Amino acid sequence: GESVGLHLPTLSVQEGDNSIINCAYSNSASDYFIWYKQESGKGPQFIIDIRSNMDKRQGQRVTVLLNKTVKHLSLQIAATQPGDSAVYFCAEKLSGNTPLVFGKGTRLSVIA
Amino acid sequence: DGGITQSPKYLFRKEGQNVTLSCEQNLNHDAMYWYRQDPGQGLRLIYYSQIVNDFQKGDIAEGYSVSREKKESFPLTVTSAQKNPTAFYLCASSPPPGLAGLNSYNEQFFGPGTRLTVL
């Protein structure tokens, strides 16, 4: 498949370990944040989201942490699996129906 | 089977020609979006439409045009004025805020993408 990002930051993790992917967002007025997973040659898939009135939200094997003080968002993946290998994007938006603004992305490589 | 479809998956164009990328959704979403993705970069917004017969420019609208005559369709035309059109194009849609469901706020749902190559 095609590469979606040849020069992205890369995180290499051993299978079974936990992964932490970080993102610095740009607008202190943003009130909604979302993480997407994108496999090569495919469209992004929703992983988890969080509103600005929360600092933590958990899903299945994933946790998103939001630190508004330093405008930082992180995605934690527990027990990382080979199928988690992909490019991960964070995105932010202001309130209302404004479009998402995407970060550059991080490539996660899982070593079996 | 609900979702967003984009066609074609691969598209080749000769330099100087216009080309139109299709995006259709049957999710009954009001808002639709077009993004461009280049290697080493995130998604950049080209155009978006919050309602039928209305659309707004995004960050990189030059050389592109759109129409929104129907709720379910948001085609993107890449014109000959776009200097570097080779890229992966992604369409997305989203429901109105407040109607996205109990566990989500305003997620954007993406199509599978169209890879455009200018020869």
Side-chain angles (χ1 to χ4, degrees), chain A residues 43-92:
Chain A
Q45 294 175 283
F46 170 87
I47 302 173
I48 192 167
D49 59 2
I50 188 168
R51 299 179 72 158
S52 60
N53 60 354
M54 303 170 68
D55 53 22
K56 180 179 180 179
R57 193 171 187 211
Q58 287 185 289
Q60 187 178 15
R61 275 201 313 120
V62 294
T63 301
V64 56
L65 299 177
L66 175 63
N67 185 332
K68 294 182 287 294
T69 303
V70 294
K71 293 191 290 185
H72 184 267
L73 197 66
S74 69
L75 176 70
Q76 300 178 359
I77 304 174
T80 312
Q81 303 168 359
D84 295 326
S85 292
V87 176
Y88 290 81
F89 292 99
C90 67
E92 61 183 298

Side-chain angles (χ1 to χ4, degrees), chain A residues 2-7 31-32 34 36 38 41-44 46 49 51 57 89 93 96-97 99-100 102-104, chain B residues 9-10 31 33 35 37 39-43 45 48 50 88 90 97 103-108 110-112 115:
Chain A
E2 295 93 356
S3 168
V4 298
L6 296 177
H7 308 293
D31 81 338
Y32 173 68
I34 191 168
Y36 282 94
Q38 186 178 27
K42 297 182 179 180
F46 170 87
D49 59 2
R51 299 179 72 158
R57 193 171 187 211
F89 292 99
K93 76 188 299 287
N97 212 9
L100 288 168
F102 284 80
K104 257 199 168 186
Chain B
K9 185 172 176 61
Y10 299 96
Y33 313 83
Y35 291 88
Q37 187 173 35
Q41 298 192 40
L43 281 68
L45 184 66
Y48 65 104
Q50 295 180 330
F88 190 48
L90 287 157
N103 296 317
S104 187
Y105 181 40
N106 197 197
E107 173 190 350
Q108 283 178 200
F110 282 86
R115 179 160 296 279

